[in-house]
Each structure stands twice: as C-alpha cells, then as structure tokens.
Amino acid sequence: MKVTQAQVLAWRLRQQGLAPRTTASVEELVARLAGVQAQVPSAAELALSARQKEPRPDAVQQALAARSLIRTWAMRGTLHLLPAGEMPEYLALLGAARTWEKPSWQRGFGVEPWQMAALGEAVDEILDGQVLTRQELTDAVLARAGLDGLGEQLSSGGGAPSSSRCPGRGGCARGRPGDRT
C-alpha cells in the first residue's frame, strides 16, 4: 500500500482530534488523547478548545470541580489533565516505571533512597482515609521526623519527590474545587 504525505498528515490530524473538530466533551477528549499536558492551565484549555466545534471557556474548570478530570503530575513529571475514571490504570502504568528508584533521578532532586522510602510510607499513612490538597499533604509530610529536610523539593513548582512517588503508592493529593493543583 502506498500512502502519500498528504494522507499521512490527514490521518495524524484525525487521530489527534484536530480535523474535523468534534462535539466531544473535554472529558472525552482527555481520555481519547491519553491525557493533556496542563503545566500551564490555559495551554491545556487551548489544546482542548482547538479540537472542539463549540468550545466552552469554563469546561475544564467545571470538569475539575466535578472531579471528572484530575490535574496531577503524570508523564515526564509534568502536570497533566487525566480522566478521573481511569486513574487506577494511569497510576499503575506510571508507578511501574519506579523512576524515584533511579540514582540519576535521586541525584537530580536531591533525595536519598531512604528518604524516598520514608516519604512513600508517610504518604500512605497520611492519605489513609482522607483527601488532601498538595499543600496539606506537603505540610503533613514535613511535620514527620526525618522528612522535614525535603521542604524545598516538596514545595517546588514540580513537586517531583512527592508526585513521582505517589503514582506507585496508589494515588496522591487530590485537589478540591478552587485549589490550584
């Protein structure tokens, strides 16, 4: 079978949901795209709006408030919008990589293997039966003996030690309506 460049480009536009535009909801689009990068919230909104025939400016915020979408650290350690109903699958896949165990990752984020183990145990205990914002989780972790030295890493814009560890631990802080992340 011979395929022209124009056919390849048209196929790629269809696969990415860019042509033709769709009537799908933001939740459906996020699921179809296997997540949308949301490090900059307006960029995620633009990426979704570009795929819709009639985009609504508040659609992402409404989906986050309704908890049908979640904004969390995912692929490549960056914030993504992910479908809430598929979080167990995403967490299993992301956790399987166990990036926090790699020496290069630990050096890059300035954490020791024992700190990551203690962090994982602390997150499990702290989140048992409760939902916290990122800041509430950070505060609770930093109150633990031996983990108070992780303040800079946990409070940074990337939040890498806590966010990367959480996928392998069955979840992490989940925002409430009005929270930034």
Side-chain angles (χ1 to χ4, degrees), residues 87-103:
M87 283 309 295
E89 292 87 353
Y90 280 98
L91 292 172
L93 287 170
L94 293 169
R98 303 183 70 82
T99 56
W100 63 88
E101 292 180 348
K102 296 178 179 157

Side-chain angles (χ1 to χ4, degrees), residues 17-31:
L18 292 164
R21 287 180 160 199
T22 181
T23 58
S25 68
V26 292
E27 294 91 342
E28 292 169 314
L29 284 169
V30 168

Side-chain angles (χ1 to χ4, degrees), residues 25-175:
S25 68
V26 292
E27 294 91 342
E28 292 169 314
L29 284 169
V30 168
R32 188 179 304 159
L33 294 167
V36 172
Q37 188 173 15
Q39 199 77 11
V40 177
S42 60
E45 292 170 5
L46 179 62
L48 293 166
S49 293
R51 291 165 165 81
Q52 293 180 305
K53 286 182 183 178
E54 297 179 24
R56 287 189 354 257
D58 61 344
V60 171
Q61 285 305 316
Q62 285 185 355
L64 290 168
R67 295 182 176 271
S68 55
L69 288 181
I70 294 174
R71 184 174 177 239
T72 191
W73 288 267
M75 291 69 76
R76 299 179 320 279
T78 60
L79 287 167
H80 279 71
L81 294 176
L82 296 171
E86 298 174 17
M87 283 309 295
E89 292 87 353
Y90 280 98
L91 292 172
L93 287 170
L94 293 169
R98 303 183 70 82
T99 56
W100 63 88
E101 292 180 348
K102 296 178 179 157
S104 61
W105 187 95
Q106 293 171 358
R107 279 190 308 275
F109 288 102
V111 295
E112 299 291 327
W114 69 267
Q115 289 174 307
M116 291 307 300
L119 177 62
E121 290 172 20
V123 167
D124 282 349
E125 291 170 13
I126 293 166
L127 290 179
D128 187 25
Q130 63 179 336
V131 175
L132 300 176
T133 65
R134 176 182 176 204
Q135 188 59 56
E136 291 167 338
L137 177 60
T138 297
D139 292 345
V141 166
L142 294 178
R144 298 282 179 113
L147 296 176
D148 53 345
L150 293 177
E152 183 179 336
Q153 294 93 328
L154 296 178
S155 299
S156 73
S162 64
S163 61
S164 66
R165 181 67 171 164
C166 292
R169 308 299 294 186
C172 201
R174 294 165 186 90

